[in-house]
Amino acid sequence: MRTYKVGLCDADLDYCGALMDYINAHRDMGMTVTLFTGMDEVREYLEVQDLDLIVSSDNSLFSDTDDGSFYMDVKACYLTDYRQTPVGWQIDKNRYPSIYKYQRVELICAEIRALISEKKDVRELHSIYAVYSPLGRCGKTRLAKALVQDDGVRGGLYVSAQDFGEDPDMIDNNLLYLLKSGSPELEEALSSEIHLENGFHSLCISPIYMDMRDVTVDDMERLKASLLKPGKYTTLVFDLGSAVLSDMRILSGFDKIYMPTLSDDVSIRKISVFEKMLKDMGLRSLMTKIQKVYIPDVDENSSEMERVLWKIKGQDEEEY
């Protein structure tokens, strides 16, 4: 079960200490609380650590968006002294969530849990995954193909967007031109380039990263929509190389990002550099979509790979 990290910020240290002690003592709730006395402390903490939610009586630095309130790309909630919205205040609590601080502690915990888990009442009929890692030779492509073959509904599509592809004949395809030009011929061209590979459907967008680096966030959204439109696939898995991503925001458009990792010291340090880069770029929220996974050196159809997929899917279920 995943344990969420909550930052609690309020000048009333007795109140915050009691709430923190209660939550941290009840580990079955899946949360741990770190106490802060001011937002400057929160900022300093986030420069080196991470939080899943900030609950603070000081919302002056929150950024309000259609998706809610945020501070340094971390979801934030206003800790208020008011049980109800004061007369004359027009506030959408879905966009600007708040928690009344003097209610029963069980209710406070339930509201915090609801905010950070973000349960969905209805699941999408399709899933779009990215398999990406700043490391090489870590099993990225094997995992991507295994995820595609694991789709037992309508089937999955493996989309290769690696630094270099395997088929020289693909250099001459015009998929990226049709994508960038907004051509109505894109969907037909995509369909003609999809082929069956070892029992699953596969598509190579371009075999060279120089072409892929022209793809923008909007281009990628159109590409995904075009692949889903015929209704043939319930899973799209993009096998992404580092060189193809001219804009890391492209990763935000995926339901989940599976990141194969290695256990040696050099690889661990490289992952840390990547995570710090996301924070420095203001993309901390991406880290909530990343699931690290160790891939054994086995074939994607092996029983050991099936156990890896079972573990991955089990962790996904715990987040809902």
Side-chain angles (χ1 to χ4, degrees), residues 21 27 131 141 161 213 218 228 234 241 247 281 288 290:
D21 291 342
R27 305 305 287 268
V131 181
T141 295
R213 286 188 67 82
D218 290 340
L228 290 171
T234 45
D247 187 345
M281 294 175 66
T288 63
I290 294 174

Side-chain angles (χ1 to χ4, degrees), residues 134-298:
L135 308 178
R137 312 302 298 176
C138 57
K140 178 170 65 69
T141 295
R142 284 184 286 118
L143 174 60
K145 292 182 177 181
L147 285 166
V148 167
Q149 296 176 78
D150 193 53
D151 185 307
V153 187
R154 290 196 298 272
L157 174 65
Y158 168 79
V159 183
S160 174
Q162 302 181 72
D163 297 344
F164 288 97
E166 303 174 7
D167 186 356
D169 294 336
M170 287 298 298
I171 293 178
D172 297 325
N173 81 42
N174 64 344
L175 293 180
L176 288 180
Y177 169 76
L178 297 175
L179 178 64
K180 296 292 294 183
S181 64
S183 171
E185 300 176 6
L186 175 64
E187 292 172 14
E188 182 178 351
L190 287 170
S191 179
S192 66
E193 293 290 348
I194 293 173
H195 64 277
L196 200 62
E197 174 189 326
N198 298 325
F200 63 91
H201 289 94
S202 176
L203 170 70
C204 178
I205 302 301
S206 174
I208 47 177
Y209 72 89
M210 291 84 81
D211 291 341
M212 284 295 299
R213 286 188 67 82
D214 289 332
V215 174
T216 65
V217 174
D218 290 340
D219 293 333
M220 184 62 80
E221 291 304 308
R222 184 183 178 216
L223 173 61
K224 291 184 293 185
S226 297
L227 291 172
L228 290 171
K229 187 174 181 180
K232 293 182 179 179
Y233 310 107
T234 45
T235 303
L236 302 181
V237 182
F238 283 71
D239 183 357
L240 297 175
S242 290
V244 307
L245 295 173
S246 60
D247 187 345
M248 280 291 171
R249 292 179 302 165
I250 287 174
L251 290 173
S252 300
F254 294 94
D255 300 326
K256 194 83 174 181
I257 304 162
Y258 293 107
M259 179 178 290
T261 61
L262 299 171
S263 58
D264 61 283
D265 290 342
V266 172
S267 297
I268 292 172
R269 291 197 296 271
K270 286 184 177 181
I271 295 291
S272 296
V273 169
F274 173 75
E275 291 175 339
K276 185 177 187 304
M277 180 195 71
L278 291 182
K279 296 175 186 177
D280 292 344
M281 294 175 66
L283 297 174
R284 181 189 298 270
S285 58
L286 262 182
M287 296 172 63
T288 63
K289 291 190 173 188
I290 294 174
Q291 183 173 325
K292 299 174 187 174
V293 55
Y294 172 75
I295 307 300
D297 188 14
V298 295

